[in-house]
């Protein structure tokens, strides 16, 4: 049995070897174009400091070659450790928020301390990455660092960091190009400093990994099994995570965000026949190094006849489809979903009325209160007339988006039986965002209707992908989340690449991505409200299905439900509502997660009441977010999506905490 | 009424700033042909052009960033911050009661709402193209015409041409020297500006040579190490407001010191110039270029 498992499958291994040979040939060809062969050794040992080509080869070509190998190897190693500790092949070095934290730190430093940001870039990125992880760690600690809580905490921190970075970059506007270059992971070098910083980390990482390999291997057993072997589970997990995070953080600080390598290398290692952890560690390190080197060599060769693309952007771009292929081959693990056990509300009407009253109060405050040049004031009824044209459309659009996200979230949570699922978390809104982004960047012209179409297409594609994947594991809640997170990561790489194109359109897209209701016209607001009302009117027809589906497939079938028809219809409804909401306030928010959950906490269990209460809660949340965004940094406007994320992130974490007890 | 006195006051400030541009203070909001004095400028290049035309805008987004990017002409403190560049605050703009809003096509999406406040005049002062300066001149004349300051517009175009002609004359001995114009993005990359950028337009108008004519669009992002390949070029390195002092820090690098333009003292560090700043920025660049190339290159 073991011998067949350990048999080296030739396919992937040979491809990697060929890639390596091609990269070496390419690098040699480039160097021989610069230097005669007999000078190579002399240049390596002691370059003539007066000769541009000699110093170029010694201080740029060679360190770039080495940094590609070192960074790729470190990412491969870090990825394999992450996947082992988090017990999912869908984790990669950015899963625990390291890249997002580094990016945020650089954006903030660039805004408030540009001099510091330009002189201590690596340190700032390192500090940001490690701080983000520290937060993730603190959040997951009460859960004994359970893999799923680490991943979810990483997701929230990534979202929140992303929201703040987006807010910063919107105020920073033109100064962003430097940050975009960093985020797209350029391997360009002009001295050995990056190598000399990263190489010792790599050596330390390899030593650490060698020491941890054996105990870490036991982590692939389940918790009980590992504990019965007398292993201090948390300490092994802790050490391994810290090691993998350090490796990821140092790589990010040295070369920026390089996607996909840390995810793909362990996968290819496994596919080439490496089964046991020490083997996979060695193979993954080597494969990661070769992947990044080959990608960078290919890009440098391509730069002869086109504009040079940074390595990180390219690996992210080409990696995204591979992630999708890989997801289809994932092993199925089944764990039963826990039944929801929350108290049922005895007086639903009273609670609905209270929620409605709160909503009305919020609307009134939001419409009448605001700062101006002469300070804060409640507008008089006469003054209100002139202000209404500014405040009402954006409020209405925000409320409509809140309702739509809430409906979408309610459907997804009930369908998957997972209180942590939502259109944002499982990648549906990211899919919608990619649809719109592609439309804006590629199509010569677009109308609101084609935008909705593009958003809906993106949302449907990603939701179907997630659910197809999830179907194989019978909608295991954790799996749905993991698939969604993987899709989020893949799309996020794509978005980073599109932003990195530097086209002037990008800034407008950035504004929309941050989720702004800012320029909503009265007519657009009317359309948005109409769509929300239609969705509200349609939703009750699905309430029977939504009551039955959470009971599980066998019970609902016994009750006369056509599972696939009802699932498809619900899927479409949730994708379209999420797409419309994304179109209104962008992909970033936690409304689709929070609103259904708030409704549930208030005790609304039956589908119909759940949906109505969630819609009201969603509207209240987005109205509040829109209000805060309008007044908090007056005259600057914070997009509603960003504020909603800043409210929703902590809520999600609080929710996770509650689940411990 | 308060509005009118304020308008007169602003016109006075504008006149004193412009150094003798005769600008009639409008006592009443006139027809569209008459002078417009209360203008919200929703782009820094537009704001700079308006100031040069002798009209101080009442509102400009993020004036603090204007001061770092555009530098010259200076915006007076009376200018109100109307929010961020891509999301000017509608309520605040309405409170300022402008007679005209001038914006670039970047704000197209907000145009329907802006039109509720005041007529919106859309203009493109900068567009990467071989005739980048002609585009800026045409847009400036159009803007000046729209605000009833056609004469000031012609004077600004003439002043720019005069400034550039003076540069042409003073640098006529260096016409054949290939010039690289770049700005650092970080310690490993620079934006290298092509012939279609505002800087490229100034070089062309002044009869100077751009060392890299292959760049399409405004600029290419290139690795620092590529700069050494331009053997006989002279480097004009613009400081970047978001990376202050980076231009100077690059000189610590060993590879940088092997570049021909560094070794042969053909490197000139210039303060920031906004690439989309219209004619005022073209003049500023031309002035800085003249004084830089008129001297010896900065120390390696």
């Amino acid at each position: 049995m073991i011998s067949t498992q350990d048999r080296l499958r030739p396919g992937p291994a040979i491809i990697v070897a060929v890639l390596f040979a091609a990269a070496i040939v390419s690098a040699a060809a480039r160097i021989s174009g610069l230097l005669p062969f007999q000078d190579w050794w002399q240049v390596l040992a002691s370059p003539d400091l007066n000769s541009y080509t000699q110093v170029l080869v010694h201080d740029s070509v060679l360190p770039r070659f080495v940094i590609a190998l070192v960074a790729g190897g470190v990412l491969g190693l870090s990825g394999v450790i992450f996947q082992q500790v988090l017990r999912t092949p869908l984790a990669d070095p950015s899963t625990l928020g390291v890249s997002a934290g580094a990016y945020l730190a650089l954006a903030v430093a660039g805004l408030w301390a540009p001099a510091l940001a330009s002189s201590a870039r690596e340190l700032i990125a390192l500090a940001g990455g490690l701080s983000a992880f520290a937060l993730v760690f603190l959040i997951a600690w009460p859960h004994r660092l359970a893999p799923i809580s680490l991943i979810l905490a990483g997701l929230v921190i990534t979202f929140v960091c992303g929201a703040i970075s987006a807010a910063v970059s919107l105020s920073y506007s033109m100064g962003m190009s430097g940050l975009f270059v960093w985020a797209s992971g350029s391997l360009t070098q002009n001295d050995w400093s990056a190598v000399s910083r990263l190489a010792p980390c790599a050596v330390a990482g390899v030593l650490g990994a060698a020491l941890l390999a054996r105990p870490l291997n036991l982590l692939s057993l389940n918790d009980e099994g590992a504990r019965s072997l007398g292993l201090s589970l948390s300490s092994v997990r802790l050490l391994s995570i810290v090691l993998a995070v350090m490796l990821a953080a140092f790589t990010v600080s040295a070369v920026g965000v390089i996607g996909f390598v840390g995810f793909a290398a362990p996968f290819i290692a496994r596919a080439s026949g490496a089964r046991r952890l020490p083997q996979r560690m060695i193979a993954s390190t080597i494969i990661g190094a070769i992947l990044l080197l080959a990608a960078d060599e290919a890009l440098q060769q391509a730069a002869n006849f086109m504009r040079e693309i940074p390595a990180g952007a390219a690996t992210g771009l080409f990696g995204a489809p591979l992630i999708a292929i890989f997801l289809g081959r994932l092993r199925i693990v089944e764990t039963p979903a826990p039944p929801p056990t929350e108290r049922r509300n005895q007086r639903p009407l009273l609670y609905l009325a209270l929620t409605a009253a709160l909503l009305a109060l919020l609307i009134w405050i939001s419409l009448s209160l605001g700062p101006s040049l002469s300070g804060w004031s409640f507008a008089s009824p006469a003054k209100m007339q002139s202000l209404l044209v500014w405040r009402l459309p954006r409020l209405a659009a925000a409320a409509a988006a809140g309702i739509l996200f809430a409906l979408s979230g309610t459907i997804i949570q009930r369908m998957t039986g997972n209180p942590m699922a939502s259109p944002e978390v499982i990648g549906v809104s990211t899919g919608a965002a990619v649809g719109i982004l592609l439309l804006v960047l590629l199509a010569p012209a677009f109308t609101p209707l084609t935008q909705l179409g593009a958003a809906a297409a993106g949302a449907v594609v990603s939701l179907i992908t997630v659910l197809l994947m999830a179907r194989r594991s019978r909608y295991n809640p954790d799996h749905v989340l993991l698939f969604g997170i993987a899709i989020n990561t893949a799309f996020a790489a794509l978005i980073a690449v599109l932003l990195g194109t530097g086209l002037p359109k990008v800034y407008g897209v950035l504004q929309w991505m941050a989720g702004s209701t800012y320029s909503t016209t009265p007519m657009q607001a009317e359309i948005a409200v109409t769509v929300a009302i239609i969705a509200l009117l349609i939703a009750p027809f699905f309430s029977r299905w939504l009551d039955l589906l959470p009971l599980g497939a066998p019970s609902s079938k016994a009750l006369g439900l056509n599972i696939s028809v009802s699932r498809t219809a619900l899927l479409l409804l949730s994708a379209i509502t999420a797409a419309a909401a994304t179109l209104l306030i962008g992909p970033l928010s936690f409304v689709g997660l929070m609103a259904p959950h708030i409704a549930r906490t208030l005790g609304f269990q039956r589908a119909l009441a759940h949906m109505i209460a969630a819609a009201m809660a969603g509207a209240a949340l987005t109205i509040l977010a829109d209000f805060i965004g309008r007044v908090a940094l007056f005259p600057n406007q914070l997009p509603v999506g960003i504020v909603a994320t800043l409210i929703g992130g902590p809520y999600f974490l609080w929710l996770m905490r509650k689940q411990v007890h | 009424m308060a509005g009118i006195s304020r308008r007169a006051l602003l016109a006075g400030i504008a006149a004193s700033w412009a150094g003798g541009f005769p600008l009639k203070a409008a006592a009443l909001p006139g027809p569209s042909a008459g002078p417009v004095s209360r203008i919200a400028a929703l782009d820094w290049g537009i704001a700079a052009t308006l100031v040069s035309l002798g009209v101080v805008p009442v509102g400009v987004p993020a004036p603090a960033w204007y001061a770092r990017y555009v530098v010259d002409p200076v915006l007076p403190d009376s200018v109100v911050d109307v929010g961020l560049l891509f999301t000017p605050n509608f309520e605040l703009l309405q409170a300022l009661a402008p007679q005209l809003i001038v914006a670039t096509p970047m704000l197209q999406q907000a145009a329907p709402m802006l039109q509720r406040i005041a007529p919106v005049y859309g203009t493109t002062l900068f567009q990467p193209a071989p005739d980048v300066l002609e585009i800026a001149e045409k847009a400036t004349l159009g803007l000046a015409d729209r605000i009833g300051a056609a004469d000031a517009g012609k004077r600004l175009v003439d002043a720019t041409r005069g400034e550039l002609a003076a540069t042409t004359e003073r640098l006529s001995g260096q016409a054949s020297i290939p010039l690289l114009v770049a700005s650092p993005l970080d310690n490993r990359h620079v934006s290298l500006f092509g012939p279609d950028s505002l800087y490229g337009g100034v070089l062309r108008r002044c009869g100077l040579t751009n060392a890299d004519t292959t760049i399409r669009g405004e600029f290419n992002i290139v690795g620092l190490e590529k700069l050494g390949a331009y053997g006989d070029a002279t480097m004009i390195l613009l400081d970047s407001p978001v990376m202050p002092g980076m231009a100077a820090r690059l000189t610590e690098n060993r590879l940088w010191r092997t570049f021909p333009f560094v070794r042969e003292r053909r490197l000139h560090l210039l303060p920031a110039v906004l690439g989309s700043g219209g004619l005022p920025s073209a003049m500023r660049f031309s002035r800085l270029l003249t004084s830089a190339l008129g001297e010896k290159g900065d120390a390696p």
Side-chain angles (χ1 to χ4, degrees):
Chain A
M1 188 66 197
I2 285 174
S3 65
T4 51
Q5 272 194 352
D6 282 354
R7 182 170 51 95
L8 208 69
R9 270 196 275 159
I14 286 182
I15 293 172
V16 170
V18 168
L19 277 180
F20 184 58
I24 296 286
V25 170
S26 153
R30 286 190 306 114
I31 297 179
S32 55
L34 292 166
L35 287 175
F37 184 70
Q38 61 269 24
D39 286 358
W40 285 20
W41 178 250
Q42 174 252 317
V43 169
L44 189 64
S46 59
D48 174 6
L49 292 184
N50 293 318
S51 155
Y52 165 60
T53 35
Q54 294 213 359
V55 180
L56 178 73
V57 170
H58 187 274
D59 278 3
S60 176
V61 177
L62 291 178
R64 182 165 178 169
F65 185 88
V66 175
I67 199 90
L69 282 173
V70 175
V74 168
L75 287 171
L77 181 59
S78 171
V80 92
I81 299 175
F82 270 122
Q83 297 187 357
Q84 180 77 8
V85 179
L86 301 178
R87 288 202 199 133
T88 165
L90 298 177
D92 86 344
S94 68
T95 305
L96 297 190
V98 172
S99 308
Y103 188 89
L104 173 61
L106 284 180
V108 168
L111 186 62
W112 280 293
L116 183 69
S118 75
S119 59
R121 179 167 269 242
E122 290 78 12
L123 270 180
I124 293 170
L126 186 65
L130 291 179
S131 313
F133 167 70
L135 275 175
V136 170
F137 179 83
L138 286 177
I139 295 161
W141 180 252
H143 302 258
R144 290 195 219 91
L145 301 179
I148 190 73
S149 45
L150 276 168
I151 292 174
L152 287 175
L155 177 77
V156 175
I157 294 299
T158 301
F159 270 22
V160 171
C161 286
I164 305 174
S165 306
V168 169
S169 35
L170 286 173
S171 50
Y172 199 27
S173 55
M174 304 160 97
M176 286 299 289
S177 16
L179 201 55
F180 284 150
V181 170
W182 178 84
S184 54
S186 164
L187 292 179
T188 298
Q189 301 293 312
N190 50 40
D191 54 27
W192 285 88
S193 62
V195 175
S196 63
R197 272 194 310 271
L198 193 57
C201 307
V203 172
V206 168
L207 288 178
L211 290 174
L212 281 169
R214 219 188 70 82
L216 197 55
N217 196 25
L218 297 173
L219 269 182
S220 54
L221 306 171
N222 57 21
D223 282 16
E224 288 70 32
R227 208 169 285 127
S228 67
L229 289 170
L231 196 63
S232 164
L233 204 68
S234 358
S235 60
V236 171
R237 194 176 278 158
L238 179 64
L239 284 173
S240 314
I241 291 174
V242 168
L243 177 67
V245 163
M246 294 301 279
L247 292 174
F250 274 102
T251 317
V252 160
S253 78
V255 293
V257 181
I258 291 181
F260 181 66
V261 172
F263 171 86
F267 167 58
I268 299 175
R270 202 187 281 259
S272 341
R275 281 288 175 271
R276 286 180 301 119
L277 183 66
Q279 286 179 343
R280 280 192 285 133
M281 279 177 161
I282 296 167
S284 174
T285 309
I286 294 170
I287 291 168
I290 293 173
L291 276 185
L292 191 54
L293 177 70
D296 194 46
E297 279 300 331
L299 292 168
Q300 290 194 66
Q301 292 293 347
N304 289 328
F305 44 87
M306 58 181 272
R307 197 186 273 217
E308 187 166 349
I309 306 170
T315 52
L317 193 62
F318 296 117
L322 288 176
I323 292 180
I325 295 171
F326 163 60
L327 284 175
R329 304 178 45 175
L330 198 67
R331 208 154 38 96
I332 297 166
V333 188
E334 268 202 72
T335 51
T341 51
E342 268 141 42
R343 78 202 156 79
R344 178 169 290 220
N345 190 339
Q346 302 305 327
R347 294 197 200 120
L349 283 180
L350 176 69
Y351 273 69
L352 279 182
L354 281 176
T355 316
L358 184 72
L359 187 59
L361 180 72
L362 260 177
I363 293 176
W364 177 72
I365 291 178
S366 176
L367 287 179
S368 57
L369 180 64
S372 70
L373 279 178
S374 48
W376 282 71
S377 63
F378 275 101
S380 63
K383 190 102 192 294
M384 191 108 143
Q385 285 292 322
S386 67
L387 288 175
L388 220 52
V389 68
W390 308 123
R391 295 180 184 173
L392 188 57
R394 54 184 295 170
L395 178 139
I403 291 170
L404 290 166
F405 262 138
L407 287 178
S408 178
T410 313
I411 295 170
I412 291 177
Q413 290 187 5
R414 292 188 80 95
M415 259 172 83
T416 58
N418 186 338
M420 300 291 213
S422 81
E424 304 90 352
V425 177
I426 71 169
V428 176
S429 11
T430 321
V434 171
I436 299 174
L437 203 53
L438 288 176
L439 179 78
V440 170
L441 292 178
L442 301 179
F446 46 86
T447 64
L449 202 66
T450 52
Q451 270 186 322
L452 180 62
V460 168
V461 166
S462 58
L463 186 58
I464 287 179
T465 318
V466 169
L467 291 181
L468 276 184
M469 309 295 169
R471 198 171 68 161
R472 302 184 64 239
S473 56
R474 312 261 156 75
Y475 299 96
N476 173 323
D478 286 354
H479 272 214
V480 173
L481 288 186
L482 290 175
F483 290 132
I485 290 168
I487 291 212
N488 259 330
T489 314
F491 278 156
L494 191 63
I495 289 171
V497 174
L498 293 174
L499 289 179
T501 57
L503 294 171
K505 280 178 181 175
V506 159
Y507 292 111
V509 174
L510 201 65
Q511 178 67 41
W512 170 81
M513 291 284 294
S516 183
T517 45
Y518 158 79
S519 63
T520 313
T521 62
M523 200 184 76
Q524 289 166 337
E526 278 169 30
I527 296 172
V529 171
T530 314
V531 172
I533 290 175
I534 292 173
L536 273 180
L537 291 178
I538 293 175
F541 293 105
F542 294 88
S543 55
R544 196 178 99 87
W545 292 351
L546 286 173
D547 276 325
L548 295 182
L549 275 180
L551 300 177
S555 330
S556 11
K557 212 177 259 168
L559 287 163
L561 197 68
N562 184 334
I563 302 278
S564 47
V565 168
S566 57
R567 273 208 175 121
T568 311
L570 287 169
L571 195 154
L572 273 176
L573 181 65
S574 65
I576 291 169
T577 44
T582 304
L583 198 58
L584 287 168
I585 64 164
L588 281 170
S589 85
F590 275 100
V591 180
L593 174 102
M594 277 191 289
H597 194 268
I598 291 173
R600 209 178 247 285
T601 321
L602 290 174
F604 295 100
Q605 293 281 320
R606 297 294 301 265
L608 185 60
H610 189 190
M611 281 194 283
I612 295 172
M616 283 202 283
L621 281 171
T622 43
I623 288 171
L624 181 67
D626 181 61
F627 175 68
I628 294 176
R630 179 165 64 80
V631 302
L633 294 178
F634 182 87
N636 302 347
Q637 313 273 294
L638 276 176
V640 55
I642 287 175
V643 182
T645 307
L646 295 181
I647 302 173
Y651 183 87
F652 190 96
L653 298 180
W654 172 77
L655 186 62
M656 279 180 63
R657 255 196 92 74
K658 250 185 56 172
Q659 289 204 330
V660 184
H661 310 298
Chain B
M1 294 208 347
I4 290 168
S5 67
R6 181 165 181 171
R7 189 151 55 235
L9 182 74
L10 283 176
I13 293 168
S16 68
W17 162 252
F21 278 35
L23 194 97
K24 276 176 248 154
L28 288 165
S32 65
V36 183
S37 56
R38 288 189 67 80
I39 302 171
L42 302 187
D43 168 82
W44 298 327
I46 292 171
T49 304
L50 284 175
V51 171
S52 300
L53 288 173
V55 182
V56 175
V58 287
V60 170
W65 283 91
Y66 175 101
R68 288 165 74 178
Y69 272 106
V70 186
V71 188
D72 179 22
V74 179
L75 272 187
D77 289 341
S78 67
V79 174
V80 174
D81 179 357
V82 296
L84 301 176
L85 201 53
F86 302 113
T87 53
N89 191 310
F90 297 136
E91 288 180 33
L92 185 57
L93 278 173
Q94 192 184 35
L96 287 177
Q99 293 167 299
L100 183 71
I101 295 173
V102 189
T104 65
M106 294 279 252
L107 278 174
Q108 203 171 11
Q109 202 155 17
M113 295 304 271
L114 289 172
Q115 267 155 3
R116 292 168 179 269
I117 300 166
V120 177
Y121 181 75
T123 182
T124 306
L125 282 170
F126 171 69
Q127 194 183 342
D131 54 348
V132 55
L133 278 184
E134 285 74 15
I135 291 172
E137 286 178 352
K138 225 175 126 192
T140 302
L141 289 174
L143 174 63
D145 203 35
R146 178 65 183 80
I147 63 168
D151 291 346
K154 289 193 191 85
R155 271 195 301 279
L156 178 55
V157 170
D158 288 345
T160 311
R161 289 185 175 170
E163 180 79 50
L164 267 55
T167 302
T168 313
E169 195 178 322
R170 290 188 56 184
L171 299 181
S172 57
Q174 310 186 39
S176 59
I177 298 173
L179 295 175
L180 279 175
V181 184
S183 177
L185 281 170
D186 57 19
N187 57 3
R188 292 183 291 149
H189 304 85
V190 298
S191 309
L192 192 56
F193 293 98
D196 292 355
S197 67
L198 184 71
Y199 319 111
V202 170
L203 296 188
R204 194 176 317 101
R205 183 73 72 81
C206 295
L208 300 166
T209 312
N210 195 319
D212 192 334
T213 52
T214 63
I215 298 167
R216 297 280 153 264
E218 189 185 6
F219 60 84
N220 271 2
I221 295 172
V222 301
L224 193 68
E225 78 281 359
K226 304 266 195 304
L227 295 179
Y230 297 91
D232 51 355
T234 291
M235 168 61 90
I236 309 296
L237 195 61
L238 295 166
D239 204 10
S240 157
V242 282
M243 284 279 148
M246 180 51 85
R249 274 196 56 220
L250 292 179
T251 59
E252 295 162 15
N253 183 272
R254 184 164 82 173
L255 178 60
W256 175 264
R257 289 200 294 259
T258 67
F259 293 167
F261 60 76
V262 179
R263 297 169 54 82
E264 290 150 30
R265 292 178 155 252
R266 283 182 274 114
L267 165 67
H268 303 274
L269 302 181
L270 263 54
V273 179
L274 183 67
S276 59
L279 297 185
S281 286
M283 277 204 271
R284 174 175 158 80
F285 180 64
S286 151
R287 268 197 303 275
L288 292 169
L289 191 66
T290 313
S291 71
L293 290 181
E295 301 161 5
K296 201 105 189 84
D298 285 327

